[in-house]
Amino acid sequence: MEFKIGRINLNAVAQGVGGLVFGNDDQAAAKEDRQYSYNVLVGHKSRISGFLLRLSLSQDIGGLNLGQIYVERCLDRISNGVLAEDRHAAMTELQSIVAESHQAQLAFGAMGFPVIMSVLKEERADVEMVRGALETLIGALTPLDSAGRLKNELQPSLMNSDLLSRESDNISLLLSLLSEDDFYVRYYTLQLLTSLLTNSPHRLQEAILATPRGLTRLMDMLMDREVIRNEALLLLTYLTREAEEIQKIVVFEGGFEKIFAIVKEEGGSEGGVVVQDCIELLNNLLRNNTSNQILLRETVGIEPLISILKLRKGSAYNFTQQKTVNLLSVLEAIRLLLVGGAEADAAKDANGVTNQTFLAQNKVLDSLLMLGVESRWAPVAIRSLALHCIGELIARHPQNLDAIVRKLIGEEPHTEPALNAILRIILQTSDIQESIAADYVLKCFCERNPDGQAILTSTVNPQSSISAHDVFDKDVHIPFGSMLLHSLTVCDSENDLEICCRAANVLSHLLKDNLQCKERVLQIELEASGPSLVASEPLMHRVVKYLAISSSTKNIEVEEEMGSQDLYMKPIILRLLIIWLADSPSAVRCFLSSPAHLTYLIELLSSPTTSIFIHGLAATLLGECVIYNKGGDGSRDAFMVVDAISQRIGLTAYFHKFEAMRKSPIFAASGSKAHLSKPPSRSTSSEAVGPSDIPDEDQNRDGGGSLKLDHPLLHLVFDPAFVNFVKRLEPNIRESVVDLFSHPKNNVAIVPAMLEQKNGENDKDYIARLRLFVEKQCNEIQDLLGRNAALAEDLAKTNGRGEMSADGSGSSGRDRVQVENLRRELMESRQRIENLVVEKTKLESEASTYRQMVGKIESDLKSLSDAYNSLEQANFRLEAETKALRSGQGHNLPDLEAVRADAREEAERDSEAELNDLLVCLGQEQSKVERLSARLMELGEDVDSLLEGIGDEAEAGLPDEEEEE
């Protein structure tokens, strides 16, 4: 800038300025010098040094601010001046001082707007005066450097914007200037409206809507000369960010056609910042606006938007910063179309599906795969956003899901399925955002797509011939599942452990809500790693092993080297196990088949160094082992898990893990949609593609060096669907655990038939079995009493609200619990004694009945013995008679000896049969007597005294028999 200074007394000026800065002992001289400096500065018509001007205007003369006096004088010359040159000079001076001084801006806001607006309204013919007035307004609304000023000090630019926008007539007047023929008038008007929009956006939007043909004039500026077009484009971009009514008017005024015409004229994605402004304006028109999206499809179509993504030959490897920003803006527009309308819009889903169909028909998938998968030379920001768009394109759309399954990338003969290439990106990339975006594609592919899950799961087969190099070699054709399984099961270093975690997250997508896939993967057997007693182990056991490795002492020691890996590795593996065990009793049975798994989970819950959300995930996994446990094995059933929880952790502490996780910031913030990078604008274009897009490990730490809980992969773990699943699962876990704890499993089933004596069972075995049954029942009762006492004690400790009572009521509550337990035990003992007394009475009654039966049998035996003796006597008598007859008539009688022998044999046969029957009866009765004797002896009765009378009766009968013989 060139300054022209006339003949002035520079020495006096220097003395005056020096007195202002350093002070002057002679007050009269100082005042004279100030007055002289003032006269020189205000009287000269040319611009002078900015430093001297600002320094002088910041001082006061006689209590009056020099800037205020100067602005007032300039305004007076503009409004009351006679000569046009003098008025033009005054406008130039006013413009200069307002653009450089805070005090001048304040003074102008207090008195300048009526004068300047009068010039714009009444002096349209004087183009130079109108230009100066517009430049002056721009200077009054432009913030100056605030260095060295108070933080809460009034900002003149904001105040002036408020004053100018307060009158809607002022905005209408400015919009009318857009119809002027002068180039600079239109240009300065657009700049002024842009500055006004920056400081007072809502008032300007309302004023423009209230002005007839206000937006029409702005839209006409898009067809003006390049400089004016660019300013109008920037102004419309600001206006359409939030004002839905303005968005609709812009579209009806042909906004889409004009935007794509400018983009084509500027060279598409190879264009400059104008292309970026056009796409940003397009995004403002499409964002959460279903009607505008429908108009785009039915008027211009989607093809012009997709054509911007197509890379020209020769430029596919060249990505400048501006080209990257342009492509990011186009990808953001496609993402907005795929998302659909606003959240509250009922037609959002239908509109989104229609957009998916239209975009797929225009072959947008090819362009997205080129940018996101094939173009490894493209910046990471472009690849990540392109992958995210692929996920939105195929989500819940059957035709697009089939298309990506059939899609091959690369050139013959080195082609591979698109899903395999995306999986390779997940496992291979070193950028977290790109890995998350690629994982999002597979998540969208598996969501509500059981057939797709089954296709991918069917390829999960162990292949020992695959090496780590083959997984990352594009020329080696490896099935999707084999590549995933190899990455999941090879863990020789920390880097392999990170790859294992990424593969585990992919596996969780394949298993989610699909029992068939869970059973299929559950049957996979792997070769046992390291020394082991078994030749193979299930895949689930290997996953749990890596979970233990990720939290081992070794990994804790190298936490500084691993960065933030330990922050997300355990949550990812725990998330996989939670999804795997959900609604799958066989998965729960496999998990609990190793006792070490339950022990490790309990240790993880009890560890004081473990984070809150890991505690919560471990508690959820342990709860699934309860509610989905259908096994009958006593060592692995739900009762065993609940017992382990109550003994090692305590129910109160266990349930507190859920509450702590639910209150954690990351869990509470996960209800929002996935975090996406802010769409690049002109003000953020440098950051959009800069190093800030690449997460640094140091960025995940707070000032003290500890890890912050905002790692991107943690947001991947706690996505809204998973968080809602855990929230729905928590009440079921609480109810099941409390129910099982308060109603433990009966070790002995009480069946009435089992209390009866079995056939062939002697009394001793029967009594022993009854005693064992009673002991088991007593043990179960004691266990139940202990559980109830523990619950009551927890309730007394927490005073029913989770806090200890202040008056010591907790200890008195425990005393009452103990007294109640003793009282119950005493009542149960009395009941058992009464039951034993009743049983003893019953046994004594049975013994008396048996004694009566024995007496009757002995009486029958005595009668039989008497009959036998009578038979013997009759036999002797016959023998005597036979001898007498033989001695008298021996020669005529038959052989008496033979007759007697025959009769004796017949009698012996009869008596022998009756004797055998009697012996059998005696044997049976003797066994009963022995059993009753043993039972009576156990009951404390004297058996000898009871049988004493019976023995005497038997001994008394024996001599008679001997005498009769």
Side-chain angles (χ1 to χ4, degrees):
M1 182 181 296
E2 183 178 358
F3 300 101
K4 295 181 180 180
I5 304 178
R7 298 180 63 181
I8 59 177
N9 189 346
L10 295 178
N11 187 24
V13 172
Q15 291 178 0
V17 174
L20 293 174
V21 178
F22 303 103
N24 195 332
D25 294 335
D26 191 350
Q27 298 295 330
K31 183 175 182 180
E32 182 181 356
D33 291 339
R34 293 179 185 177
Q35 186 66 35
Y36 179 82
S37 302
Y38 168 76
N39 292 334
V40 171
L41 293 173
V42 300
H44 205 277
K45 297 181 181 180
S46 303
R47 294 184 179 181
I48 63 176
S49 171
F51 171 75
L52 294 177
L53 185 61
R54 291 192 297 270
L55 186 60
S56 300
L57 294 177
S58 63
Q59 305 300 318
D60 297 334
I61 298 179
L64 297 176
N65 184 272
L66 186 58
Q68 182 177 355
I69 297 174
Y70 189 78
V71 169
E72 184 178 0
R73 181 170 180 176
C74 289
L75 291 173
D76 181 69
R77 292 168 60 193
I78 291 172
S79 60
N80 300 323
V82 177
L83 299 177
E85 294 182 359
D86 185 57
R87 297 179 70 239
H88 292 168
M91 184 67 75
T92 303
E93 294 171 4
L94 179 63
Q95 171 192 344
S96 176
I97 187 60
V98 168
E100 296 178 348
S101 171
H102 286 82
Q103 298 297 335
Q105 285 185 344
L106 288 172
F108 178 83
M111 65 186 77
F113 281 112
V115 176
I116 297 302
M117 298 309 294
S118 176
V119 171
L120 295 177
K121 185 177 182 180
E122 299 175 359
E123 301 185 31
R124 294 284 186 94
D126 192 345
V127 177
E128 185 177 353
M129 201 69 178
V130 173
R131 290 180 185 175
L134 291 172
E135 287 188 272
T136 302
L137 290 174
I138 293 174
L141 269 61
T142 302
L144 299 179
D145 185 14
S146 59
R149 308 188 68 85
L150 298 177
K151 184 177 180 181
N152 297 328
E153 187 176 355
L154 178 64
Q155 296 294 329
S157 60
L158 296 177
M159 183 190 70
N160 293 339
S161 299
D162 182 74
L163 291 173
L164 182 59
S165 62
R166 187 172 296 176
E167 297 293 335
S168 59
D169 293 339
N170 294 340
I171 308 300
S172 300
L173 178 59
L174 293 176
L175 290 173
S176 66
L177 293 175
L178 295 176
S179 302
E180 295 294 323
D181 295 334
D182 186 73
F183 168 80
Y184 288 101
V185 171
R186 300 196 303 274
Y187 179 67
Y188 292 148
T189 301
L190 290 173
Q191 283 190 326
L192 178 59
L193 290 173
T194 303
S195 299
L196 190 60
L197 181 63
T198 304
N199 299 327
S200 301
H202 298 291
R203 285 184 179 177
L204 182 61
Q205 291 170 1
E206 294 174 358
I208 290 177
L209 288 173
T211 303
R213 300 190 74 253
L215 273 176
T216 303
R217 293 191 183 99
L218 287 177
M219 293 298 297
D220 293 339
M221 295 296 101
L222 293 179
M223 309 308 294
D224 207 322
R225 297 168 62 179
E226 182 177 352
V227 177
I228 295 180
R229 180 200 67 186
N230 296 344
E231 286 295 330
L233 186 62
L234 191 61
L235 177 61
L236 287 171
T237 300
Y238 290 146
L239 281 173
T240 55
R241 283 182 177 174
E242 296 180 358
E244 186 176 355
E245 294 298 326
I246 295 180
Q247 294 173 2
K248 293 180 179 180
I249 295 174
V250 170
V251 171
F252 280 109
E253 290 291 338
F256 290 141
E257 292 84 353
K258 294 176 181 179
I259 288 173
F260 287 118
I262 296 174
V263 171
K264 184 177 181 180
E265 181 182 349
E266 292 292 326
S269 62
E270 302 289 340
V273 70
V274 177
V275 175
Q276 176 186 348
D277 292 338
C278 288
I279 303 302
E280 185 177 353
L281 174 59
L282 176 65
N283 292 343
N284 292 342
L285 299 177
L286 298 177
R287 185 174 290 110
N288 297 332
N289 197 318
T290 303
S291 60
N292 286 354
Q293 294 179 10
I294 295 175
L295 285 175
L296 175 64
R297 293 198 309 262
E298 296 179 352
T299 55
V300 181
I302 302 178
E303 174 60 28
L305 181 63
I306 300 177
S307 63
I308 306 176
L309 289 177
K310 297 179 180 179
L311 303 178
R312 300 177 182 176
K313 294 183 179 180
S315 65
Y317 298 93
N318 183 20
F319 286 86
T320 62
Q321 179 175 343
Q322 188 58 55
K323 179 180 178 180
T324 300
V325 174
N326 293 341
L327 289 174
L328 286 175
S329 300
V330 177
L331 291 171
E332 176 67 15
I334 292 177
R335 192 191 69 83
L336 292 173
L337 289 173
L338 293 170
V339 170
E343 293 291 339
D345 192 350
K348 173 189 174 183
D349 292 339
N351 180 60
V353 172
T354 305
N355 290 340
Q356 286 177 308
T357 304
F358 268 78
L359 287 169
Q361 290 174 354
N362 287 274
K363 300 181 179 180
V364 71
L365 183 59
D366 296 336
S367 300
L368 293 177
L369 287 173
M370 173 61 70
L371 289 174
V373 181
E374 296 187 66
S375 299
R376 305 309 300 166
W377 53 87
V380 174
I382 291 180
R383 300 202 304 266
S384 300
L385 189 53
L387 287 168
H388 193 91
C389 290
I390 293 174
E392 296 285 357
L393 179 66
I394 65 176
R396 305 179 185 179
H397 195 283
Q399 290 78 14
N400 294 350
L401 289 171
D402 294 339
I404 197 172
V405 171
R406 298 190 303 267
K407 188 66 65 175
L408 298 176
I409 65 171
E411 298 180 356
E412 294 291 346
H414 304 294
T415 61
E416 67 173 338
L419 293 178
N420 288 30
I422 293 172
L423 176 61
R424 202 185 302 274
I425 292 174
I426 296 174
L427 302 176
Q428 186 178 7
T429 183
S430 59
D431 185 83
I432 295 179
Q433 294 296 340
E434 185 180 15
S435 175
I436 292 175
D439 182 85
Y440 182 74
V441 177
L442 294 181
K443 176 184 176 182
C444 293
F445 177 82
C446 296
E447 187 175 3
R448 299 187 183 180
N449 183 22
D451 295 336
Q453 290 175 303
I455 291 174
L456 297 182
T457 307
S458 63
T459 63
V460 180
N461 296 307
Q463 293 186 7
S464 58
S465 59
I466 299 178
S467 63
H469 175 74
D470 295 337
V471 175
F472 303 123
D473 190 355
K474 296 181 180 180
D475 297 333
V476 180
H477 297 282
I478 304 175
F480 181 95
S482 299
M483 187 192 313
L484 177 65
L485 186 61
H486 179 80
S487 303
L488 188 63
T489 55
V490 176
C491 182
D492 297 330
S493 64
E494 281 76 13
N495 186 40
D496 292 336
L497 185 58
E498 181 177 1
I499 295 175
C500 169
C501 289
R502 295 183 182 183
N505 199 56
V506 174
L507 181 60
S508 65
H509 302 324
L510 301 184
L511 302 181
K512 184 179 179 182
D513 300 329
N514 195 317
L515 290 177
Q516 179 183 358
C517 293
K518 292 179 183 179
E519 295 295 334
R520 169 71 177 81
V521 178
L522 201 62
Q523 297 174 1
I524 296 177
E525 294 286 338
L526 304 173
E527 295 183 0
S529 59
S532 177
L533 299 177
V534 294
S536 62
E537 61 180 347
L539 175 60
M540 179 180 288
H541 290 194
R542 184 72 61 88
V543 171
V544 179
K545 176 182 177 182
Y546 293 154
L547 175 62
I549 293 176
S550 65
S551 58
S552 62
T553 305
K554 175 182 177 182
N555 282 279
I556 295 176
E557 294 175 353
V558 298
E559 180 181 356
E560 294 298 330
E561 300 179 3
M562 293 177 61
S564 60
Q565 292 180 7
D566 187 62
L567 186 65
Y568 61 83
M569 285 185 177
K570 285 185 284 189
I572 287 178
I573 298 179
L574 286 171
R575 180 179 184 270
L576 167 62
L577 293 174
I578 290 173
I579 293 176
W580 200 342
L581 267 61
D583 295 316
S584 179
S586 57
V588 174
R589 185 165 54 253
C590 179
F591 179 80
L592 295 177
S593 62
S594 175
H597 295 172
L598 182 60
T599 303
Y600 170 73
L601 264 187
I602 293 176
E603 291 178 354
L604 195 62
L605 273 171
S606 306
S607 175
T609 59
T610 307
S611 59
I612 293 175
F613 46 86
I614 293 179
H615 278 165
L617 292 176
T620 304
L621 182 60
L622 203 57
E624 286 186 327
C625 294
V626 175
I627 61 177
Y628 299 124
N629 194 330
K630 307 301 181 183
D633 188 358
S635 62
R636 290 177 294 180
D637 58 6
F639 298 95
M640 179 270 298
V641 178
V642 173
D643 287 342
I645 294 174
S646 62
Q647 295 174 7
R648 299 285 299 278
I649 303 174
L651 294 187
T652 304
Y654 174 70
F655 293 142
H656 179 70
K657 307 297 183 183
F658 290 101
E659 298 176 2
M661 180 178 64
R662 191 171 57 251
K663 294 178 182 178
S664 63
I666 187 171
F667 195 87
S670 61
S672 59
K673 290 182 69 64
H675 295 272
L676 294 177
S677 59
K678 186 178 180 180
S681 60
R682 178 177 290 193
S683 60
T684 61
S685 59
S686 59
E687 291 84 356
V689 295
S692 61
D693 272 351
I694 303 176
D696 189 2
E697 296 296 344
D698 295 336
Q699 296 178 358
N700 294 317
R701 297 179 180 270
D702 55 19
S706 61
L707 291 173
K708 298 188 294 184
L709 302 182
D710 58 353
H711 197 281
L713 287 178
L714 287 182
H715 293 283
L716 178 68
V717 173
F718 292 96
D719 63 321
F722 181 72
V723 168
N724 293 332
F725 170 74
V726 174
K727 288 180 179 179
R728 293 193 305 269
L729 202 62
E730 180 185 349
N732 297 334
I733 293 175
R734 288 177 177 269
E735 182 180 357
S736 299
V737 170
V738 173
D739 182 67
L740 291 174
F741 185 81
S742 57
H743 300 86
K745 181 181 66 173
N746 293 326
N747 294 324
V748 180
I750 303 177
V751 181
M754 296 181 62
L755 299 178
E756 300 294 335
Q757 187 174 11
K758 299 179 181 179
N759 294 331
E761 184 181 23
N762 56 41
D763 295 338
K764 183 177 181 181
D765 295 339
Y766 177 55
I767 294 174
R769 184 164 59 84
L770 291 178
R771 180 179 295 174
L772 181 62
F773 174 79
V774 173
E775 290 178 355
K776 290 182 179 180
Q777 289 289 341
C778 292
N779 292 335
E780 289 188 5
I781 292 173
Q782 292 297 326
D783 182 63
L784 182 58
L785 290 174
R787 291 172 182 270
N788 293 335
L791 287 176
E793 186 173 358
D794 286 343
L795 183 62
K797 287 181 179 179
T798 58
N799 199 18
R801 294 183 299 272
E803 296 180 355
M804 287 293 294
S805 58
D807 56 354
S809 60
S811 59
S812 60
R814 288 193 295 271
D815 294 338
R816 288 194 299 270
V817 169
Q818 293 177 358
V819 171
E820 182 68 18
N821 292 338
L822 293 175
R823 186 180 64 81
R824 290 180 179 177
E825 291 178 2
L826 179 60
M827 292 179 62
E828 291 171 358
S829 299
R830 290 177 178 175
Q831 185 66 31
R832 287 196 297 271
I833 292 173
E834 292 177 358
N835 293 337
L836 291 175
V837 170
V838 171
E839 185 178 1
K840 178 182 177 182
T841 304
K842 181 180 179 181
L843 291 176
E844 289 177 349
S845 175
E846 292 180 355
S848 176
T849 303
Y850 289 144
R851 284 197 296 270
Q852 294 176 1
M853 293 176 61
V854 168
K856 181 179 179 182
I857 292 172
E858 290 178 348
S859 176
D860 294 340
L861 181 61
K862 183 178 179 182
S863 300
L864 183 61
S865 178
D866 294 340
Y868 180 78
N869 293 333
S870 300
L871 183 60
E872 285 292 334
Q873 293 175 1
N875 188 25
F876 290 148
R877 187 176 63 255
L878 290 174
E879 288 180 356
E881 292 176 355
T882 301
K883 288 181 180 179
L885 292 174
R886 180 178 297 172
S887 62
Q889 301 175 0
H891 57 281
N892 294 325
L893 295 175
D895 188 2
L896 294 178
E897 291 295 332
V899 173
R900 188 174 60 181
D902 293 338
R904 183 178 295 172
E905 288 177 359
E906 183 177 359
E908 287 178 354
R909 284 197 300 269
D910 294 337
S911 61
E912 184 177 0
E914 292 178 356
L915 184 60
N916 290 335
D917 295 337
L918 182 61
L919 291 177
V920 170
C921 293
L922 288 175
Q924 292 178 354
E925 296 303 322
Q926 183 66 29
S927 63
K928 291 181 180 180
V929 171
E930 291 176 354
R931 289 173 57 187
L932 290 175
S933 300
R935 183 63 179 274
L936 291 174
M937 290 177 65
E938 292 179 358
L939 295 176
E941 294 292 336
D942 191 356
V943 180
D944 296 333
S945 61
L946 292 174
L947 299 178
E948 184 176 0
I950 299 174
D952 295 337
E953 294 175 359
E955 291 176 0
L958 291 177
D960 296 338
E961 295 178 358
E962 292 176 356
E963 293 175 356
E964 290 176 359
E965 291 177 358

